[in-house]
Coordinates of all heavy atoms in Angstrom, one line a residue:
Y1 N 7.1 4.4 6.3 CA 7.3 3.4 5.2 C 6.6 3.8 3.9 O 5.7 4.6 3.9 CB 6.7 2.1 5.6 CG 7.2 1.5 6.9 CD1 6.5 1.7 8.1 CD2 8.4 0.8 7.0 CE1 6.9 1.2 9.3 CE2 8.8 0.3 8.2 CZ 8.1 0.5 9.4 OH 8.6 0.0 10.6
L2 N 7.2 3.3 2.8 CA 6.5 3.5 1.5 C 6.5 2.1 0.9 O 7.5 1.5 0.5 CB 7.3 4.4 0.6 CG 6.6 4.7 -0.7 CD1 5.3 5.5 -0.5 CD2 7.5 5.5 -1.6
Q3 N 5.3 1.5 0.9 CA 5.1 0.2 0.2 C 4.8 0.4 -1.2 O 3.8 1.1 -1.6 CB 3.9 -0.6 0.9 CG 3.6 -1.9 0.2 CD 4.7 -2.9 0.4 OE1 5.3 -3.1 1.5 NE2 5.0 -3.6 -0.7
M4 N 5.6 -0.1 -2.1 CA 5.5 0.1 -3.5 C 5.2 -1.2 -4.2 O 6.0 -2.1 -4.2 CB 6.8 0.7 -4.1 CG 7.3 2.0 -3.4 SD 8.7 2.7 -4.1 CE 9.9 1.5 -3.9
N5 N 4.0 -1.3 -4.8 CA 3.6 -2.5 -5.5 C 3.4 -2.2 -7.0 O 3.3 -1.0 -7.4 CB 2.2 -2.9 -4.9 CG 2.3 -3.4 -3.5 OD1 3.4 -3.8 -3.0 ND2 1.3 -3.2 -2.7
I6 N 3.3 -3.2 -7.8 CA 3.1 -3.1 -9.2 C 4.1 -2.1 -9.8 O 3.7 -1.1 -10.5 CB 1.7 -2.7 -9.6 CG1 0.7 -3.5 -8.8 CG2 1.4 -3.0 -11.1 CD1 -0.8 -3.1 -9.0
L7 N 5.4 -2.3 -9.5 CA 6.4 -1.3 -9.9 C 6.6 -1.3 -11.4 O 6.4 -2.4 -12.1 CB 7.7 -1.6 -9.2 CG 7.8 -1.1 -7.7 CD1 8.8 -1.8 -7.0 CD2 8.0 0.4 -7.7
K8 N 6.9 -0.1 -11.9 CA 7.0 0.1 -13.3 C 8.5 0.6 -13.6 O 9.0 1.2 -12.7 CB 6.0 1.1 -13.9 CG 4.6 0.7 -13.6 CD 3.6 1.8 -14.1 CE 2.2 1.5 -13.8 NZ 1.3 2.6 -14.3
P9 N 9.0 0.4 -14.8 CA 10.3 1.0 -15.1 C 10.4 2.5 -14.8 O 11.5 3.0 -14.4 CB 10.5 0.6 -16.6 CG 9.7 -0.6 -16.8 CD 8.5 -0.4 -15.9
E10 N 9.3 3.2 -15.0 CA 9.3 4.6 -14.8 C 9.4 5.0 -13.3 O 9.5 6.2 -13.0 CB 8.1 5.3 -15.5 CG 6.8 4.7 -15.1 CD 6.3 3.7 -16.2 OE1 7.2 2.9 -16.7 OE2 5.1 3.7 -16.6
D11 N 9.3 4.0 -12.4 CA 9.5 4.3 -11.0 C 10.9 4.3 -10.6 O 11.3 4.6 -9.5 CB 8.7 3.2 -10.2 CG 7.2 3.3 -10.3 OD1 6.7 4.4 -10.3 OD2 6.6 2.2 -10.4
T12 N 11.8 3.9 -11.6 CA 13.2 3.9 -11.3 C 13.7 5.3 -10.9 O 13.5 6.3 -11.7 CB 14.0 3.4 -12.5 OG1 13.7 2.0 -12.7 CG2 15.5 3.5 -12.3
A13 N 14.4 5.4 -9.8 CA 14.8 6.7 -9.3 C 15.5 6.5 -8.0 O 15.5 5.4 -7.4 CB 13.6 7.7 -9.1
I14 N 16.1 7.6 -7.5 CA 16.6 7.6 -6.1 C 15.5 8.2 -5.3 O 14.9 9.3 -5.6 CB 17.9 8.5 -6.0 CG1 19.0 7.9 -6.8 CG2 18.3 8.5 -4.5 CD1 20.3 8.7 -6.8
Y15 N 15.1 7.5 -4.2 CA 14.0 7.9 -3.4 C 14.5 8.5 -2.1 O 15.4 8.0 -1.4 CB 13.1 6.7 -3.1 CG 12.2 6.3 -4.2 CD1 12.8 5.8 -5.4 CD2 10.8 6.6 -4.2 CE1 11.9 5.4 -6.4 CE2 10.0 6.2 -5.2 CZ 10.6 5.7 -6.4 OH 9.8 5.3 -7.4
Y16 N 13.9 9.7 -1.7 CA 14.3 10.4 -0.5 C 13.1 10.6 0.4 O 12.0 10.7 -0.1 CB 14.9 11.8 -0.9 CG 16.0 11.8 -1.8 CD1 15.8 11.8 -3.2 CD2 17.3 11.8 -1.3 CE1 16.9 11.8 -4.1 CE2 18.4 11.9 -2.2 CZ 18.2 11.9 -3.6 OH 19.3 11.9 -4.4
C17 N 13.3 10.7 1.7 CA 12.3 11.2 2.5 C 12.7 12.5 3.2 O 13.9 12.7 3.3 CB 11.9 10.1 3.6 SG 13.2 9.7 4.7
A18 N 11.8 13.3 3.6 CA 12.1 14.5 4.2 C 10.9 15.0 5.1 O 9.8 14.7 4.8 CB 12.4 15.6 3.1
H19 N 11.3 15.8 6.1 CA 10.2 16.5 6.8 C 9.6 17.6 6.0 O 10.3 18.3 5.3 CB 10.9 17.1 8.1 CG 10.0 18.0 8.9 ND1 8.6 17.7 9.1 CD2 10.2 19.2 9.5 CE1 8.1 18.7 9.8 NE2 9.0 19.6 10.1
I20 N 8.3 17.6 5.9 CA 7.6 18.6 5.1 C 6.8 19.5 5.9 O 6.6 19.2 7.1 CB 6.7 17.8 4.1 CG1 5.7 16.9 4.8 CG2 7.5 17.1 3.0 CD1 4.7 16.2 3.9
T21 N 6.3 20.6 5.4 CA 5.6 21.6 6.1 C 4.3 21.0 6.6 O 3.9 21.1 7.8 CB 5.3 22.8 5.3 OG1 4.7 22.5 4.1 CG2 6.6 23.6 5.0
Y22 N 3.5 20.3 5.7 CA 2.3 19.6 6.1 C 1.9 18.7 5.0 O 2.4 18.9 3.9 CB 1.2 20.6 6.5 CG 0.8 21.5 5.4 CD1 -0.2 21.1 4.5 CD2 1.4 22.7 5.2 CE1 -0.6 22.0 3.5 CE2 1.0 23.6 4.2 CZ 0.0 23.2 3.4 OH -0.4 24.1 2.3
C23 N 1.1 17.7 5.3 CA 0.5 16.8 4.3 C -1.0 17.1 4.2 O -1.7 17.0 5.2 CB 0.8 15.4 4.6 SG 0.1 14.2 3.4
S24 N -1.4 17.5 3.0 CA -2.8 17.8 2.8 C -3.4 17.0 1.7 O -2.7 16.6 0.8 CB -2.9 19.3 2.4 OG -4.2 19.6 1.9
D25 N -4.7 16.6 1.9 CA -5.3 15.9 0.8 C -5.9 16.8 -0.3 O -6.6 16.3 -1.2 CB -6.4 14.9 1.4 CG -7.4 15.6 2.2 OD1 -7.4 16.8 2.3 OD2 -8.2 14.8 2.9
Y26 N -5.7 18.1 -0.2 CA -6.2 19.0 -1.2 C -5.1 19.8 -1.8 O -5.4 20.7 -2.6 CB -7.4 19.8 -0.7 CG -7.0 20.7 0.5 CD1 -6.3 21.9 0.3 CD2 -7.2 20.3 1.8 CE1 -6.0 22.7 1.4 CE2 -6.9 21.1 2.9 CZ -6.2 22.3 2.7 OH -5.9 23.0 3.8
Q27 N -3.9 19.6 -1.5 CA -2.8 20.3 -2.0 C -1.6 19.4 -2.4 O -1.3 18.5 -1.6 CB -2.3 21.4 -1.1 CG -1.1 22.2 -1.6 CD -0.7 23.3 -0.7 OE1 -1.6 23.9 -0.1 NE2 0.6 23.6 -0.7
W28 N -1.1 19.6 -3.5 CA 0.0 18.7 -4.0 C 0.9 19.6 -4.9 O 0.4 20.4 -5.7 CB -0.5 17.5 -4.8 CG 0.6 16.6 -5.1 CD1 1.3 16.4 -6.3 CD2 1.1 15.6 -4.2 NE1 2.2 15.5 -6.2 CE2 2.2 14.9 -4.9 CE3 0.9 15.3 -2.9 CZ2 2.9 13.9 -4.3 CZ3 1.7 14.3 -2.3 CH2 2.7 13.6 -3.0
P29 N 2.2 19.4 -4.9 CA 3.0 18.5 -4.1 C 3.3 19.1 -2.7 O 3.1 20.3 -2.5 CB 4.3 18.3 -4.9 CG 4.4 19.7 -5.6 CD 3.0 20.1 -5.9

């Protein structure tokens, strides 16, 4: 899930999900 609050006009987009190699809290994106 992706809970999106306090949405702004700049959040307008097509949103996709995908399997990623890994999720790290010290590397982005």
Side-chain angles (χ1 to χ4, degrees):
Y1 304 99
L2 185 68
Q3 177 67 43
M4 306 187 297
N5 298 329
I6 318 175
L7 281 161
K8 304 176 181 180
E10 51 264 43
D11 295 318
T12 295
I14 299 175
Y15 283 71
Y16 303 87
C17 62
H19 171 40
I20 56 175
T21 53
Y22 60 90
C23 182
S24 167
D25 53 12
Y26 58 83
Q27 180 175 325
W28 187 261

